[in-house]
Amino acid sequence: MKITNFSIVCLFTLSLSLGHGDLSLDQAKTGAEKGDAEAEFVLGKAYYTGKGMPRDYAKALDLYQKSANQGNAKAQNNLATMYRKGQGTKKDPAMAAQWYRKAAEQGANLAEYNLATMLAAGEGVPQDDHEAFTWFQKAASQNFAPAQAKVGEAYLKKKGVPADPKQ
């Protein structure tokens, strides 16, 4: 097989689009077979997005589950999203909230935000503006713009905190 500059560019683009630096799709497959959590996450993301292989939510869910069980916060967040949307499994907001919480407790800003939105709406968990604000604030402190907007909104609308228009 002849490797061209175009082939190299395509492989590099795939790695970047999966967001995992030097881990190629082939390396992810090999690593996932060995139970490597990061490789399982990368391969799961490839199946989820359909980049580099056909989209397959069931395979993505399985790989995210394996990686999440090993404590991978990115996989926990993505697994939660699949449960929240009912992709590759039946919709289960309570399970989604549990996985978002696990990732949020590791400081994953997207999971903090997602958990907060579920708490604010009472989706899969009891509605709790105060706890939602706490998680929005944690994500906002990591410069996550959507969470910063929610913190400002909470201060304006007294959602979980006393009104404070200056904040």
Side-chain angles (χ1 to χ4, degrees), residues 69-154:
N69 286 341
Q70 294 182 65
N72 184 306
K74 296 173 290 192
Q76 290 169 344
N77 180 77
N78 290 12
L79 179 64
T81 298
M82 293 188 79
Y83 277 112
R84 191 175 189 182
K85 293 180 176 182
Q87 295 172 317
T89 186
K90 78 173 194 155
K91 198 172 190 179
D92 189 341
M95 182 66 73
Q98 288 176 21
W99 282 111
Y100 282 140
R101 185 175 298 277
K102 287 179 188 228
E105 288 171 349
Q106 294 185 63
N109 64 356
L110 184 56
E112 291 167 345
Y113 178 83
N114 287 330
L115 176 60
T117 61
M118 293 189 82
L119 286 160
E123 181 187 351
V125 291
Q127 197 278 334
D128 186 334
D129 284 335
H130 180 72
E131 187 179 2
F133 176 80
T134 299
W135 288 110
F136 280 135
Q137 197 169 40
K138 287 180 183 197
S141 72
Q142 296 181 61
N143 296 320
F144 190 64
Q148 291 169 333
K150 289 291 189 180
V151 167
E153 181 183 322

Side-chain angles (χ1 to χ4, degrees), residues 23 25-41 43 62-63 66-67 70:
L23 193 58
L25 202 49
D26 286 337
Q27 290 169 322
K29 287 177 185 176
T30 301
E33 288 170 4
K34 295 177 181 177
D36 178 80
E38 185 65 15
E40 290 166 341
F41 169 74
L43 190 56
D62 181 57
L63 288 159
K66 289 175 180 176
S67 183
Q70 294 182 65

